[in-house]
Amino acid sequence: MNALTQTGTQASAPVTMGFNDLHSFEFLQRTAKAFSNSTMVPTAYQAMVTKGYGDRATVEPNPAAISNCMIALDMSQRMNANPLMIMQNLHIIEGRPSWSSQFIIAAINNCGKFSPLRFDLQWLDEIDATYSTFEWEDRKKVEKKHKVRIRNARCVAWAIEKATGERLESAPVTMEMAVNEGWFGKNGSKWKSMPDLMMRYRSAAFFGRIYAPELLMGLPTAEEVHDVFTVEPDGTVTEGGKQSVPRATGNIDPGTGEVRPVELPPYADEEFAAMLPKWRAGIAAGKATADSIIAKASTKNTLTAAQMDAIRAPIEQPVTDVEPKATPASSEAPEPIQEKTLGDRMHNAATLDALYEAADLIGEVADPDARTRLTGFFEQRKFALESE
């Protein structure tokens, strides 16, 4: 019995979940509450969620859980699909529900209107492409232009409509389109590592949006949403669109039109006193310089002159009875952090705390292209660890 129903003590029509009447709504609420108490559903649907990591982890209530479950249950009723399958494939990204591409392909194949979805993938000549990335320098987001030579390709999703026997095709997806739309250059983009799969996913979404919009119900795919959102270093999320531009870095004076820098609050004495030993230890270990720590700390709060002097103060070496070994002159300056060393450290990070600790050193890598690659790898590892 596919539809979830409820029967009363008297012989009457079964009650189905929905928003049509009071009994259906109450039945929908009770079912949603049961799903929200399960740990098998994704976090967006769980009544209690874990926030933070390690020693900072806390379990807090999720006020949107029952409402999210109710919406997913209503969609499963309308699509005649299993509720758990809907929840597992309906991703909520920055408040926007989106389908996984695998679900869209499965829905098209099982709807009965078309033959199984197939793809025509044609590899074309190499082209020179230019894409943009954005990096934070001196508390400003700076656009970086990158030139790359890629092999162009064209992918079309198609199927035979059973009612007419007509071959239906999606709009074509090309690698040139991926570059122009900003998908290719995004940090952590899968278009660089697995372009053939991403072209199939995107063309399948195009096919469903044109010929089976009732299956998608107006929702984008998760891959499409990931391609247009960018996570900033301060944790905020911006929507990119075509070659996203830097956010405003100040407030506009309505009288003069002058852009004034945003004034950050000063570091509280207690907070600064708690962070100073950690920063000084990093300087002493050669993991960072005083200037790099001041630049990074200034993106969160404003440092006073006295606080900057405290960070720059000479490091006192402990006095020991053992005569220190002579070191060559070349070892006086700390050895620069290599991309491979830091990449291996992030790859081996088993927890998010370890991953974030390694990512703090990305700014110490000299090569800007290497910093961009490491930032993209950080986003991939973060997504993988959060999904475990």
Side-chain angles (χ1 to χ4, degrees), residues 209-220:
R209 191 167 291 117
I210 296 172
Y211 300 110
E214 69 279 5
L215 298 179
L216 277 65
M217 303 179 73
L219 303 182

Side-chain angles (χ1 to χ4, degrees), residues 188-352:
S189 172
K190 297 295 184 182
W191 286 91
K192 299 177 183 178
S193 56
M194 46 184 70
D196 50 349
L197 180 63
M198 295 302 294
M199 284 192 290
R200 288 181 171 91
Y201 279 172
R202 192 55 52 88
S203 60
F206 285 175
F207 183 95
R209 191 167 291 117
I210 296 172
Y211 300 110
E214 69 279 5
L215 298 179
L216 277 65
M217 303 179 73
L219 303 182
T221 66
E223 288 76 15
E224 288 175 308
V225 177
H226 278 298
D227 278 341
V228 299
F229 278 104
T230 300
V231 180
E232 307 293 352
D234 58 3
T236 59
V237 178
T238 57
E239 185 174 358
K242 291 185 179 180
Q243 297 291 354
S244 56
V245 297
R247 296 180 300 166
T249 57
N251 298 320
I252 300 177
D253 188 324
T256 63
E258 180 184 0
V259 178
R260 297 177 178 175
V262 177
E263 295 184 0
L264 298 174
Y267 270 98
D269 292 338
E270 298 79 4
E271 182 182 4
F272 180 79
M275 295 299 298
L276 182 59
K278 179 181 178 181
W279 292 334
R280 300 273 292 171
I283 297 173
K287 296 180 179 179
T289 63
D291 289 337
S292 66
I293 288 178
I294 290 174
K296 182 176 179 180
S298 297
T299 62
K300 300 179 181 179
N301 294 96
T302 301
L303 290 167
T304 65
Q307 290 172 339
M308 288 189 283
D309 290 341
I311 296 174
R312 290 194 177 103
I315 303 294
E316 296 182 2
Q317 300 295 333
V319 179
T320 61
D321 295 335
V322 181
E323 183 179 354
K325 296 181 180 179
T327 55
S330 60
S331 64
E332 292 179 358
E335 184 178 353
I337 298 176
Q338 301 298 320
E339 177 183 6
K340 183 179 184 305
T341 302
L342 189 52
D344 291 341
R345 182 172 173 181
M346 288 194 291
H347 176 75
N348 296 328
T351 65
L352 281 165

